[in-house]
């Protein structure tokens, strides 16, 4: 991909919330059932073993939504995947710098094998050390979370038309002591 086609951040919104604030944002049954990646990517449900409860009663959640500018020469999927390659790395760095926190990436896997994920043939994830779930994969309503905690609407591509921005929503599960430092690191690392 030409560097001139690299999607750029237009806006960053962050919030630190108590984990208990997300209890009303679960969707049942999981909306992922209608997704073409359902059961076809290792970071997508259904999970062989249900994920351990991530949000202890005293956990803090650092929410971060990156609003990304569409690119005329990229399809909606290409634009989102190109942006994820940039911003996911910042969140892996959060995990390295703040031991004990757990990151939730934006959406499904974007590894080099994601289009032909080994899960399809029953094989192990080739990038287990980088595999992370997302709020969506855990059945959280990210549209309402963005609206209620971050103050903006998620937009969608319709047909071949791109929206005025794409939303990548990340979350970091941490303790009260690290939450503000993590939020500051994200703000310093992602500048529109």
């Amino acid at each position: 991909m030409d560097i001139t086609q690299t999607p750029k951040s237009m806006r960053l919104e962050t919030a630190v919330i108590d984990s208990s604030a997300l209890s009303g944002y679960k969707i049942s049954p999981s909306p992922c059932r209608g997704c073409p990646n359902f059961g076809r990517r290792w970071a997508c449900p259904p999970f062989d073993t249900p994920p351990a409860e991530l949000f202890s009663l005293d956990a803090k959640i650092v929410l971060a939504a990156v609003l990304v500018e569409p690119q005329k020469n990229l399809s909606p999927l290409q634009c989102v995947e190109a942006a994820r390659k940039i911003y996911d790395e910042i969140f892996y760095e959060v995990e390295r710098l703040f031991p004990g926190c757990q990151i939730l990436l934006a959406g499904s896997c974007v590894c080099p094998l994601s289009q032909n994920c080994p899960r399809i043939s029953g094989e192990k994830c080739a990038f287990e050390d980088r595999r992370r779930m997302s709020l969506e994969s855990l059945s959280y309503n990210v549209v309402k979370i963005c609206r209620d905690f971050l103050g903006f609407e998620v937009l969608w591509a319709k047909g071949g038309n791109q929206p005025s921005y794409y939303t990548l929503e990340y979350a970091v599960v941490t303790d009260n002591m690290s939450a503000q430092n993590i939020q500051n690191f994200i703000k310093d690392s992602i500048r529109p």
Side-chain angles (χ1 to χ4, degrees):
M1 177 185 327
D2 184 341
I3 194 69
T4 60
Q5 295 178 325
T6 302
K8 296 180 176 45
S9 165
M10 296 171 50
R11 182 172 151 195
L12 170 70
E13 295 294 338
T14 65
V16 176
I17 63 171
D18 291 326
S19 61
S20 60
L22 289 183
S23 63
Y25 291 86
K26 278 277 213 179
I27 301 171
S28 184
S30 172
C32 291
R33 290 189 184 280
C35 176
N37 296 326
F38 184 79
R40 298 180 58 84
R41 293 191 182 178
W42 277 116
C44 295
F47 300 109
D48 293 336
T49 305
E53 186 57 44
L54 293 175
F55 312 129
S56 68
L57 293 176
D58 59 346
K60 292 288 185 186
I61 310 292
V62 180
L63 298 172
V66 182
L67 281 59
V68 176
E69 181 180 5
Q71 300 296 301
K72 292 178 183 175
N73 297 329
L74 298 177
S75 72
L77 180 61
Q78 289 172 324
C79 187
V80 169
E81 287 186 354
R84 290 260 329 264
K85 287 178 183 176
I86 297 166
Y87 299 111
D88 284 9
E89 290 307 315
I90 292 168
F91 287 87
Y92 285 120
E93 185 66 14
V94 166
E95 224 174 43
R96 284 187 286 274
L97 292 173
F98 299 93
C101 75
Q102 185 167 3
I103 60 172
L104 299 170
L105 297 179
S108 189
C109 299
V110 290
C111 80
L113 301 176
S114 61
Q115 295 305 317
N116 296 304
C117 181
R119 184 176 184 179
I120 297 167
S121 57
E123 297 173 37
K124 287 185 172 186
C125 177
F127 299 94
E128 188 67 35
D129 61 322
R130 294 181 61 83
R131 183 176 84 180
R132 302 293 182 278
M133 292 176 277
S134 65
L135 284 170
E136 297 97 321
S137 72
L138 297 172
S139 299
Y140 284 94
N141 187 330
V142 296
V143 172
K144 285 186 177 182
I145 290 170
C146 282
R147 184 182 319 124
D148 294 352
F149 295 109
L150 300 170
F152 70 93
E153 295 294 325
V154 173
L155 302 179
W156 305 96
K158 293 183 181 168
N161 299 321
Q162 297 198 49
S164 54
Y165 58 83
Y166 292 103
T167 305
L168 305 178
E169 185 169 353
Y170 296 89
V172 182
V173 182
T174 190
D175 58 43
N176 193 36
M177 299 297 291
S178 301
Q180 190 62 54
N181 291 334
I182 291 171
Q183 183 182 33
N184 290 338
F185 175 82
I186 292 166
K187 287 178 177 181
D188 290 342
S189 300
I190 304 173
R191 294 190 182 270

